[in-house]
Amino acid sequence: VVMDLMDKVTDIFRRGLSNSFYPVPQQAIGVGSAFEGWSPHAHDLVYRVLVPLSPPPGHAFQLELDTAGMLRRNACVRVQLLCTCTRGQLGDDMLCFLHHPEEELRRRQEPSLLHTLCTGAYLDVQKTVHWFHRFVRVAWLTLPESRHWCLRSQPSGRSCKFQLSKDKESFAIEIVFAVRQGDSDVFVGSQPAEAGILSTTWRETYAVAEAKFFRHVSRQAPRDSWHCKCLQLLARFQTGRGFSSYALKTVVMHLLNTLPPMQWRRGDFRQRLVDILKYLHHSLETKQLRHFVLGNASLPTEISLPSSFRAAEPPNLFQHLEISPHAHAEAVQEYIHLLRC
């Protein structure tokens, strides 16, 4: 239902904005626990979708990555104008933003992306979210689903959140916008970040690569594989005070990439839980948990990564435990809580 709805919305975008110079939404990609099959709270599902954005005609996106911190890299999306004087495929009516007088451009053509959703020369997250959010509310009224479902907006600054409900059925959708790095499965996205981050800052996200990994495992695994149930059970009892559910997910992904698929059957459930807890215990003792995507040379080849990723030094997700004894003590208590459950 969610992906069908997103396909219809993005199709309306492409048709409705064909003569404008806004970003072009591509096919949405389901990411996160609800689409990976291990969401711990069935009653409180959030279907997170990533919508890649392509530059409109006459524009190009150039990513400027901050490589100083490999764990949570920030990026800016610089918007550049391209010369279209000799590009007949764009249509005879399109004027070149670089070589036509400004007065003529204002009179005959929609403004460039630089004058709508940018701050300076950079694509602005909050302006992009506000633009898409406003358009979805209008586009929703044209869809047949609007006669049966109620769409409610949820407040959010760096993503679009909606609640869909019909009778007793209800679920949440969060739309995150992203720009692809080359032709890889790594993007820079608009996902929520810490307070005070600039609206022109986009965060590197590996959500698509991780979702593709879970799909790869599901294709290889036997029908009665319980790998998602292992993660779902542990995440359900994890409170999030000491370490995140993403840390648990990372541990399980490392084990899924190591143990043969046939060893995750229902009869192996107890042993796999023990393996996950042992791996987590070792990671807490050493205060080291390797990032799953960055620096992982053994990822399936169907997951496309930027050329430097597989040979990179994997960041440590537990680096904060090395720095803060208090954070480490909280993580240990969280681990003890999991054992007791």
Side-chain angles (χ1 to χ4, degrees), residues 197-225:
I197 192 170
L198 295 175
S199 63
T200 52
T201 299
W202 299 67
R203 307 298 300 272
E204 194 167 58
T205 174
Y206 318 98
V208 172
E210 291 165 357
K212 285 186 72 171
F213 175 74
F214 272 92
R215 290 197 293 272
H216 168 82
V217 170
S218 295
R219 288 194 298 270
Q220 304 293 322
R223 183 167 296 181
D224 63 341
S225 177

Side-chain angles (χ1 to χ4, degrees), residues 142-155:
T142 69
L143 296 177
E145 287 83 353
S146 64
R147 294 195 294 268
H148 310 290
W149 290 85
C150 177
L151 181 75
R152 291 189 178 89
S153 303
Q154 305 289 324

Side-chain angles (χ1 to χ4, degrees), residues 90-220:
L90 295 179
D92 296 333
D93 294 335
M94 181 178 173
L95 305 179
C96 177
F97 284 110
L98 291 177
H99 298 116
H100 277 79
E102 288 189 18
E103 183 178 343
E104 186 181 9
L105 287 169
R106 283 196 300 268
R107 188 175 69 253
R108 294 180 51 191
Q109 189 159 275
E110 292 289 319
S112 75
L113 181 55
L114 286 171
H115 293 97
T116 54
L117 302 183
C118 289
T119 295
Y122 296 98
L123 189 62
D124 190 292
V125 170
Q126 293 179 356
K127 290 179 182 178
T128 302
V129 168
H130 180 70
W131 158 73
F132 196 93
H133 189 276
R134 188 177 55 206
F135 194 96
V136 166
R137 296 187 65 173
V138 174
W140 172 251
L141 300 177
T142 69
L143 296 177
E145 287 83 353
S146 64
R147 294 195 294 268
H148 310 290
W149 290 85
C150 177
L151 181 75
R152 291 189 178 89
S153 303
Q154 305 289 324
S156 179
R158 293 180 62 90
S159 62
C160 286
K161 294 182 179 180
F162 299 96
Q163 191 77 28
L164 273 177
S165 56
K166 179 178 68 172
D167 301 326
K168 295 182 179 180
E169 193 176 358
S170 178
F171 55 88
I173 303 173
E174 182 178 16
I175 304 170
V176 173
F177 306 98
V179 176
R180 189 187 297 269
Q181 293 192 43
D183 59 355
S184 75
D185 294 317
V186 179
F187 294 76
V188 296
S190 69
Q191 66 270 27
E194 65 271 8
I197 192 170
L198 295 175
S199 63
T200 52
T201 299
W202 299 67
R203 307 298 300 272
E204 194 167 58
T205 174
Y206 318 98
V208 172
E210 291 165 357
K212 285 186 72 171
F213 175 74
F214 272 92
R215 290 197 293 272
H216 168 82
V217 170
S218 295
R219 288 194 298 270
Q220 304 293 322

Side-chain angles (χ1 to χ4, degrees), residues 36-38 214 218 225-233 264:
E36 292 165 349
W38 61 272
F214 272 92
S218 295
S225 177
W226 277 43
H227 62 279
C228 284
K229 287 185 173 63
C230 287
L231 179 53
Q232 185 177 48
L233 178 67
W264 291 87

Side-chain angles (χ1 to χ4, degrees), residues 255-284:
L255 287 172
L256 284 170
N257 205 34
T258 305
L259 296 172
M262 296 303 292
Q263 294 186 18
W264 291 87
R265 303 172 82 101
R266 180 173 181 172
D268 304 308
F269 182 62
R270 183 183 294 272
Q271 184 57 51
R272 294 294 80 82
L273 285 179
V274 171
D275 292 340
I276 294 167
L277 290 170
K278 281 184 176 179
Y279 194 113
L280 181 59
H281 181 253
H282 177 72
S283 299
L284 290 173

